[in-house]
Amino acid sequence: MMKLLLAVPLLSLILTALEARPKPAAVKCKTGPLDIVFVIDSSRSVRPFEFETMRRFLIDIIQNLEVGPNATRVGVIQYSSQVQNIFSLKTFFKRADMEKAINSIVPLAQGTMTGLAIQYVMNLAFTIQEGARPLHKKIPRVAVIVTDGRPQDRVTEVAAQARNAGIEIYAVGVQRADMNSLRAMASHPLEEHVFLVESFDLIQQFGKQFQDKLCGVDMCTEMDHGCQHTCVSVPGSFYCECNPGYKLNTDGKTCSPIDACADGKHGCEHQCVSSRGSYTCRCRAGYDLNQDKKTCTMINYCSFGNHSCQHKCVSIPNGYYCRCNDGFTLQADGKVCQECKSGHFDLVLVIDGSKSVRPQNFELVKQFVNQIVDFLDVSPHGTRVGLVQYSSRVRTEFPLNQYETAEDIKKAVLKVEYMEKGTMTGLALKHMLEHSFSEAEGARPFSQNIPRIGLVFTDGRSQDDISEWARKAKESGITMFVVGVGKAVEEELREIASEPVEQHFSYSADFSTMTHIVDNLKVNICPEEGKGEIEIRSPCECEALVQFQSNTVGILENLTEKLAQMTARLEDLENQISNKK
C-alpha cells in the first residue's frame, strides 16, 4: 500500500511533463496534383494594411500545400486596371521561393478590371508554355479570385469561357465586393465556390475553409479504385494513369500497350515490331538490317565463295542460283554450262499492262522479256517471237512474223508503251489463241510440227473468267507457261499452266527479284524442241556422238594392235617349233 501511494505522485509528474511537451507540427495538406493560380485584386480601394493581410493569406495557404513539379504547381497574378504576372506555374517549386516573391509584390493601386484578369488566366496563365499540365493528364486547373469591389468591366461571358475551358473558379469577395459579380464568375455549385467575408481580417477563415476543400480524402487509398497501373488522387475523386509505353483503355481503368507501328511513321523498310510504346525494325528472311536501323540490304550469298557456279552466281533472298553466259544453258546440276541453244518453236509472250503494275515495274517487265529473247535462236526458220499486251483491252505489239532477229525484237520491246487500266486475262488468252497463233500472224502450220508456246505474265487477279480460254489454248496444242508476280493469284496461275504444273508455273514476290525465273524458263522451254520438217540437231547431241565415235575407234585400234602382237608371237612360236624338228 505504501509503494502504491509513492507511485501516484510520480505518475502525475510524468503526465505533467508530457502535456508540457511541444506538440508536433501539423501535417501538410496531402492533395492530389493541382495547377492553382491566385488572382489578387490590388486596386486602389485595397488599403496597404489590407493588402498585407491578403499577402499573409496567400503564404499561409501555400505553406499547407504539397508543392512540386509532379505535385501542386502554384502561380500568382495581381490586377487592377492592368494585369501583372508575379510568377507562373513553372517558375517556382519551393515554398520559400514563392513566399519571397509574394513578399515582394508592389500593389498596382488603380482600377478593378476583373474580366481582363480572367481573360489573362484563360489565355496565358493556364497554357502549357506557362507550366500548366496537358488536359489529357486530368490535373485540375483551379483559379482563386480575391476582390474587394465591383468589376469595372464585364465578367459573365469571359468567366463562362474560362469554365468551359476546364478552369474551376473560386470567387472570394471582401467587404464591398458585389455578390452578383462573384456568382457570375464562380463555378457550380455556387455554395461551394462563392465566399463573402466582411473584412480582410476575416479572410483567414476562408483560408481554412478553402484548405479543407483541397485537403479531401485520398480516394486512391480509401476505396477500391480498380486502376490497372497507377491511381492519381484529386480533390473528391481520382483517375487512372498507365505506365510509360501503355495507353488507357476506354473503361478508364485498364491499360494496353501502345502500338508504335500503327501510325505508319516508323520508316521501317520491311517490318515494324512494336514493344511497349517503342518499336524496332526487322528485315525479311535473306536481308540484313543496315546501320540506320530502318532499311534492309539483301544478303549476298555469292560473296561467301562456296557457290561453285561455272559462269555467274546470282544472289537472291535465302540463297543463290547459277546463271550461264549468253549462248549457254544451265545443266541439270544447276552449276555447269555447255554451249547449247534452245530448240525452235513459235513463242507468244502475253504481258500484263494493268495499272497495278505501275510504270517503273513495267520497264522491268520489258527487261525480263528481253532476257528471255537472249537465250532464243531467233530466225525465220528457227524460233519466232510475238508480243501481246493487255489491260482492259488487248493489243498485239508485234506478231510472230514481224521480226527475224533477236536484236530487232529487243528494240521493239523497249518501245512498247504501258497501257494501264484493268486486268482482262481471259480476253488476252482468247486473243492469243484466235489471232496470235494464226498463220496470218506468222504461226507455222501444225503439219510442220513446230511447238507453240504461250508465256503469260501477270501481277494480279483477272477481272474476267480465264477458265474457258486457258483450257481451249491447251487443248489446241499450245504449251502454256505462266509467271506471277506480287499479288498474282496462285489458283489462276495453276489453271493457266500446262501439265506438269510445277514445270510450267513460276512466281516472284516482287519485280526486282524476278530475274531468277529466266533460268528456270530456259530449263523448261528448251525440251520443247521442234522435230518437224526443219530437222535440228542439238550441238550437245553432236558433240556426244563424236566423242562416242572417237572413243570407239580408239578402242578398236587398240584391240587391233594387240591382235597383231599376238599373231606375231604365234608365228614366232611356230618357227621355234619347226627349227627343233
Side-chain angles (χ1 to χ4, degrees):
M1 184 68 178
M2 180 61 69
K3 290 181 180 179
L4 179 60
L5 291 173
L6 290 172
V8 170
L10 181 61
L11 181 60
S12 300
L13 183 62
I14 292 173
L15 290 173
T16 303
L18 288 172
E19 289 176 357
R21 258 180 163 178
K23 290 185 171 53
V27 178
K28 286 187 171 56
C29 176
K30 293 291 183 181
T31 66
L34 298 172
D35 287 343
I36 182 169
V37 175
F38 292 94
V39 184
I40 305 304
D41 181 353
S42 65
S43 60
R44 66 173 66 92
S45 61
V46 180
R47 288 169 287 188
F49 72 90
E50 293 174 335
F51 192 84
E52 291 305 314
T53 303
M54 193 165 3
R55 196 193 306 268
R56 187 69 255 164
F57 154 75
L58 286 178
I59 292 173
D60 287 346
I61 290 182
I62 291 172
Q63 287 296 334
N64 287 283
L65 294 176
E66 186 179 6
V67 299
N70 297 318
T72 293
R73 298 183 183 183
V74 179
V76 175
I77 66 172
Q78 68 165 333
Y79 74 95
S80 61
S81 298
Q82 58 184 336
V83 180
Q84 182 185 40
N85 182 44
I86 306 303
F87 57 86
S88 63
L89 293 168
K90 68 179 180 180
T91 307
F92 300 125
F93 298 116
K94 294 181 179 178
R95 297 184 191 87
D97 295 333
M98 295 179 186
E99 183 176 349
K100 183 177 179 181
I102 292 170
N103 283 328
S104 301
I105 298 175
V106 177
L108 297 172
Q110 297 171 0
T112 310
M113 303 294 285
T114 310
L116 180 65
I118 297 174
Q119 189 79 46
Y120 181 93
V121 167
M122 180 173 60
N123 293 345
L124 289 174
F126 280 112
T127 61
I128 295 175
Q129 293 78 4
E130 290 297 307
R133 282 160 285 195
L135 288 172
H136 72 266
K137 290 195 172 183
K138 299 182 181 178
I139 306 296
R141 295 180 173 184
V142 178
V144 181
I145 303 172
V146 183
T147 181
D148 80 327
R150 184 188 300 274
Q152 295 175 339
D153 56 356
R154 303 181 68 172
V155 297
T156 303
E157 183 177 343
V158 70
Q161 291 175 357
R163 294 193 300 268
N164 291 337
I167 300 172
E168 185 177 8
I169 300 177
Y170 287 85
V172 183
V174 183
Q175 291 180 341
R176 300 165 294 278
D178 177 58
M179 177 57 78
N180 290 332
S181 298
L182 298 177
R183 295 173 65 87
M185 291 187 284
S187 296
H188 289 263
L190 295 177
E191 60 269 18
E192 294 183 9
H193 293 84
V194 176
F195 298 87
L196 183 61
V197 295
E198 295 179 0
S199 69
F200 281 94
D201 293 335
L202 300 176
I203 199 171
Q204 300 295 338
Q205 296 178 2
F206 162 73
K208 180 65 171 63
Q209 289 177 308
F210 182 68
Q211 182 177 318
D212 290 343
K213 283 191 174 296
L214 293 181
C215 298
V217 175
D218 186 343
M219 303 297 284
C220 291
T221 59
E222 296 296 325
M223 64 181 298
D224 183 12
H225 50 76
C227 297
Q228 183 179 357
H229 287 179
T230 305
C231 176
V232 180
S233 182
V234 295
S237 185
F238 70 92
Y239 63 91
C240 300
E241 279 190 348
C242 296
N243 297 335
Y246 292 82
K247 63 181 179 180
L248 196 65
N249 295 329
T250 54
D251 61 7
K253 294 181 180 293
T254 59
C255 302
S256 298
I258 296 173
D259 185 356
C261 298
D263 61 5
K265 298 179 181 178
H266 46 77
C268 297
E269 183 177 359
H270 285 182
Q271 299 169 352
C272 177
V273 181
S274 181
S275 175
R276 294 188 178 182
S278 184
Y279 68 90
T280 55
C281 296
R282 181 185 295 169
C283 296
R284 293 193 294 268
Y287 292 80
D288 282 333
L289 192 65
N290 295 329
Q291 290 184 349
D292 62 6
K293 302 300 182 183
K294 292 182 180 291
T295 59
C296 302
T297 299
M298 190 170 68
I299 298 171
N300 185 1
Y301 290 96
C302 294
S303 65
F304 299 162
N306 59 352
H307 51 76
S308 303
C309 296
Q310 183 179 358
H311 285 181
K312 300 175 184 177
C313 175
V314 180
S315 184
I316 58 173
N318 296 325
Y320 69 90
Y321 67 93
C322 298
R323 178 187 290 172
C324 297
N325 296 331
D326 291 344
F328 292 80
T329 299
L330 195 67
Q331 298 305 290
D333 64 359
K335 297 181 181 294
V336 177
C337 307
Q338 285 175 336
E339 190 173 4
C340 182
K341 279 284 185 179
S342 66
H344 294 162
F345 43 84
D346 290 342
L347 172 64
V348 175
L349 297 123
V350 183
I351 61 174
D352 185 347
S354 62
K355 63 182 177 182
S356 61
V357 175
R358 299 187 179 179
Q360 64 271 28
N361 291 327
F362 190 72
E363 294 302 313
L364 294 176
V365 173
K366 293 196 289 186
Q367 294 177 22
F368 174 77
V369 169
N370 280 346
Q371 285 179 315
I372 294 174
V373 174
D374 280 334
F375 75 80
L376 301 177
D377 186 15
V378 178
S379 69
H381 299 292
T383 293
R384 297 182 183 181
V385 179
L387 180 64
V388 172
Q389 182 186 176
Y390 73 95
S391 58
S392 298
R393 56 191 178 87
V394 184
R395 181 173 73 203
T396 298
E397 301 295 349
F398 51 83
L400 288 166
N401 57 5
Q402 184 165 344
Y403 299 110
E404 298 182 354
T405 67
E407 287 305 312
D408 288 342
I409 291 174
K410 289 167 67 175
K411 289 177 183 178
V413 169
L414 294 178
K415 293 178 182 178
V416 171
E417 295 183 355
Y418 180 36
M419 293 175 71
E420 298 191 25
K421 298 188 179 179
T423 310
M424 303 293 283
T425 311
L427 184 65
L429 292 172
K430 180 177 185 293
H431 181 93
M432 177 196 73
L433 177 62
E434 294 182 345
H435 299 281
S436 302
F437 280 111
S438 66
E439 292 185 27
E441 292 200 3
R444 285 165 282 194
F446 283 109
S447 61
Q448 294 185 14
N449 198 25
I450 302 297
R452 295 182 174 185
I453 298 177
L455 173 56
V456 178
F457 178 94
T458 182
D459 84 324
R461 182 184 295 275
S462 177
Q463 294 174 335
D464 61 351
D465 181 60
I466 64 167
S467 303
E468 178 185 0
W469 294 104
R471 175 179 53 78
K472 287 183 176 180
K474 289 179 281 190
E475 289 175 352
S476 72
I478 301 173
T479 301
M480 294 300 300
F481 287 84
V482 62
V483 175
V485 177
K487 296 182 179 180
V489 180
E490 182 176 353
E491 182 182 353
E492 290 186 354
L493 301 180
R494 290 180 173 275
E495 192 166 6
I496 294 172
S498 293
E499 295 289 344
V501 171
E502 300 305 327
Q503 293 182 13
H504 296 83
F505 152 70
S506 301
Y507 175 79
S508 178
D510 56 62
F511 289 88
S512 62
T513 59
M514 67 183 180
T515 53
H516 70 277
I517 295 175
V518 175
D519 288 328
N520 294 338
L521 291 172
K522 285 184 185 179
V523 173
N524 291 318
I525 290 178
C526 275
E528 306 291 334
E529 291 186 327
K531 303 295 183 182
E533 66 175 20
I534 306 173
E535 185 177 358
I536 303 295
R537 276 192 177 273
S538 168
C540 297
E541 295 175 357
C542 294
E543 287 181 7
L545 180 60
V546 170
Q547 184 65 44
F548 173 76
Q549 290 173 340
S550 298
N551 292 341
T552 303
V553 171
I555 292 170
L556 289 173
E557 288 177 349
N558 189 32
L559 289 173
T560 302
E561 184 178 352
K562 288 182 178 180
L563 181 60
Q565 292 174 354
M566 291 178 67
T567 301
R569 290 183 64 184
L570 286 172
E571 289 178 352
D572 184 53
L573 286 172
E574 288 177 354
N575 291 333
Q576 290 179 8
I577 293 171
S578 297
N579 291 333
K580 287 181 179 180
K581 289 181 178 179

